[in-house]
Each structure stands twice: as C-alpha cells, then as structure tokens.
C-alpha cells in the first residue's frame, strides 16, 4: 500500500509550548485518537498490497483542520473515522449513546461517532465535486481502535 502524507513543517516550540506538550503527555492515561490512527494505519500498511493508496493527515482546504484518513483501492473509496473511545456504547439509528458510569444510564455520547462518520463522505464528495472530479461512491467506516470498547447495536 502506498501512504501519502503531507510534509509537516516543524517549528521550534518555545519553552511554554514544550511544557504544555509534556504536561499533556503526562496526564493522558491511554492512547489518543492520533496514536490510534497511527496504529491502524500501520496495520493497513502490513495488510494491503500496492493496489491501495491511503491519504493521511490531509488538511481540509487550507482551514487548518485535518480530514480523516482516506483509503482508495479496487474496492472503492473509503473514509476511515478512527477513534480510541472506550466504554460502553449503544447505537440506535443515528443516536450514539454512552453509558454513564455513575448513573448506569445511557445518554448522548460526544462526539456522535455515527453522525460524524456519515458526514465525512458528504464533505469529501462536496470537495471533489467543487473541483470537478468524478468519484465512485464514498463509503464511511468507523474504526474503534480500543479493545476495551463495547458497542451494542
């Protein structure tokens, strides 16, 4: 598989920026979505042949926002919404419900990963159509990279 990533310009962080980065790293108990993405991309790299291309860390039309990972191959065009959420979730239609540990009741989960996964292909299609590019149907895929997640559908 061919991986395409934009080159990231590294800037020297000032003392405060370095300190904030170290504090964030210290207080994060588990993996972040960024680390989950890296792990999933590495697995795809090992498992897919050279007919596939993965677009990773692309910026959304210069807005500074990163677009989710895009996989292009003979099977079609896929947008991968990779999350490292953990806990107990319930999916009902487009509702993403999360179990509250204190009350033991399901409430709206933030972010709504189902809704988010459905919006990404629409955004990508809009960008491609705006540029006059034809494309096959875009399939959204939600990947939960944390093995300690339970989803009831």
């Amino acid at each position: 598989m061919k991986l395409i990533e934009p080159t990231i310009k590294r800037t020297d962080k000032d003392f405060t920026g370095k300190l904030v980065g170290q504090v964030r790293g210290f207080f994060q108990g588990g993996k972040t979505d960024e680390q989950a993405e890296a792990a999933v991309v590495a697995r795809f790299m090992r498992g897919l042949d050279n007919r596939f291309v993965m677009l990773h860390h692309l910026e959304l039309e210069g807005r500074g926002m990163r677009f989710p990972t895009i996989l292009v191959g003979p099977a079609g065009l896929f947008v991968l919404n990779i999350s490292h959420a953990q806990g107990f979730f319930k999916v009902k239609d487009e509702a993403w419900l999360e179990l509250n540990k204190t009350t033991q009741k399901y409430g709206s989960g933030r972010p709504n990963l189902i809704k988010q996964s459905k919006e990404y292909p629409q955004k990508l299609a809009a960008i491609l159509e705006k540029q006059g590019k034809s494309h096959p149907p875009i399939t959204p895929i939600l990947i939960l990279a944390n093995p300690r997640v339970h989803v009831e559908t």
Side-chain angles (χ1 to χ4, degrees):
M1 181 181 80
K2 183 176 181 181
L3 179 65
I4 299 175
E5 289 183 291
T7 55
I8 300 169
K9 294 180 182 176
R10 300 204 182 254
T11 58
D12 290 335
K13 289 184 179 178
D14 59 349
F15 175 75
T16 309
K18 287 180 183 178
L19 184 62
V20 168
Q22 289 174 350
V23 169
R24 276 190 192 145
F26 179 72
F27 284 111
Q28 288 175 340
K31 291 183 177 180
T32 63
D33 283 347
E34 184 101 8
Q35 292 168 321
E37 244 180 75
V40 169
V41 167
R43 291 217 178 203
F44 273 102
M45 291 289 292
R46 287 192 304 265
L48 297 177
D49 61 19
N50 62 358
R51 296 177 298 154
F52 291 87
V53 175
M54 184 172 280
L55 306 168
H56 189 57
H57 287 173
L58 296 180
E59 279 194 19
L60 186 60
E61 293 187 330
R63 296 182 197 165
M65 293 176 52
R66 285 188 328 122
F67 201 78
T69 303
I70 300 168
L71 181 65
V72 182
L77 182 59
F78 304 93
V79 177
L80 309 178
N81 186 7
I82 303 169
S83 176
H84 198 271
Q86 76 179 39
F88 290 87
F89 299 94
K90 189 183 284 190
V91 176
K92 211 174 206 180
D93 296 323
E94 284 194 26
W96 179 256
L97 306 171
E98 183 175 6
L99 181 67
N100 185 320
K101 293 177 184 175
T102 309
T103 64
Q104 295 297 309
K105 294 183 180 180
Y106 284 95
S108 294
R110 299 272 185 236
N112 183 335
L113 296 176
I114 300 296
K115 188 176 178 183
Q116 193 179 60
S117 296
K118 288 184 174 185
E119 288 174 354
Y120 287 144
Q122 295 169 354
K123 289 179 183 178
L124 180 59
I127 291 169
L128 292 173
E129 288 166 7
K130 183 179 174 183
Q131 295 180 358
K133 308 287 183 188
S134 63
H135 58 83
I138 304 170
T139 307
I141 298 178
L142 173 60
I143 299 175
L144 298 168
N146 190 334
R148 297 187 314 186
V149 68
H150 176 80
V151 180
E152 185 179 317
T153 57

